[in-house]
Amino acid sequence: MMRFIFLLLLAVMLVTCSSSKNIKKENAFLYYGKTQCLGKCPVFDMYLFKDGKILYQGFKNVSKLGVHVYTIKIEDVEKIKKELEKIDFTTKEKLTRDLPNTTLMFQGKRLTIQQKDKVQKLIFLLENIKI
């Protein structure tokens, strides 16, 4: 019985690891990440793909540490795309060291902000993905 449980756990680990290795970050249509602050801010990277796959890596102060792969509905991907198209990626914001940065990369454009009011609806959609 113990041998069976060990083999089952090993198989699950191999499938999980292999599925995350097949996903290439550079193929993501959206990168969403948060950096450290001087407090206990969540630190993570999230890559969203057109087919609904999500590659998530939690680094610090998050409920899930390490690399995880999730899938969301295509309808949810479309909602996220619509919100992305409304965002002005040319906005420049003065960043301070003690606050976390939120970084978005979409269609070769990068936006790093600390004030989320400009992207509030998008952040709401992204943060409601079950991780």
Side-chain angles (χ1 to χ4, degrees):
M1 182 64 167
M2 188 67 148
R3 186 175 181 185
F4 174 75
I5 293 172
F6 174 75
L7 290 174
L8 182 63
L9 287 173
L10 182 63
V12 168
M13 286 175 43
L14 288 173
V15 168
T16 304
C17 290
S18 66
S19 66
S20 66
K21 288 179 184 173
N22 293 336
I23 298 175
K24 297 185 181 195
K25 295 175 185 177
E26 58 270 9
N27 294 337
F29 82 88
L30 171 65
Y31 165 80
Y32 167 52
K34 291 199 178 188
T35 64
Q36 292 191 112
C37 66
L38 296 179
K40 294 193 178 224
C41 302
V43 181
F44 63 86
D45 289 336
M46 180 188 295
Y47 298 87
L48 182 57
F49 299 84
K50 291 178 183 176
D51 65 355
K53 282 208 176 16
I54 294 174
L55 179 63
Y56 172 87
Q57 185 167 13
F59 296 104
K60 192 174 179 184
N61 302 319
V62 292
S63 60
K64 300 250 181 166
L65 295 172
V67 177
H68 303 275
V69 177
Y70 302 95
T71 303
I72 61 173
K73 297 176 188 174
I74 296 299
E75 300 85 44
D76 294 331
V77 173
E78 292 303 317
K79 287 179 191 176
I80 291 168
K81 282 182 185 177
K82 285 181 183 174
E83 283 304 316
L84 279 165
E85 291 168 0
K86 297 176 187 176
I87 295 173
D88 179 9
F89 278 81
T90 62
T91 302
K92 298 293 180 210
E93 183 178 309
K94 184 175 179 174
L95 306 174
T96 60
R97 189 173 73 93
D98 57 338
L99 296 174
N101 294 334
T102 298
T103 301
L104 299 166
M105 286 191 280
F106 174 64
Q107 295 180 341
K109 299 175 272 185
R110 180 186 184 111
L111 177 65
T112 302
I113 57 171
Q114 291 176 334
Q115 303 298 321
K116 293 187 251 175
D117 56 328
K118 298 170 187 146
V119 294
Q120 189 171 7
K121 288 182 183 178
L122 175 65
I123 298 299
F124 176 79
L125 290 171
L126 294 171
E127 290 185 352
N128 281 308
I129 294 172
K130 302 294 182 211
I131 301 292

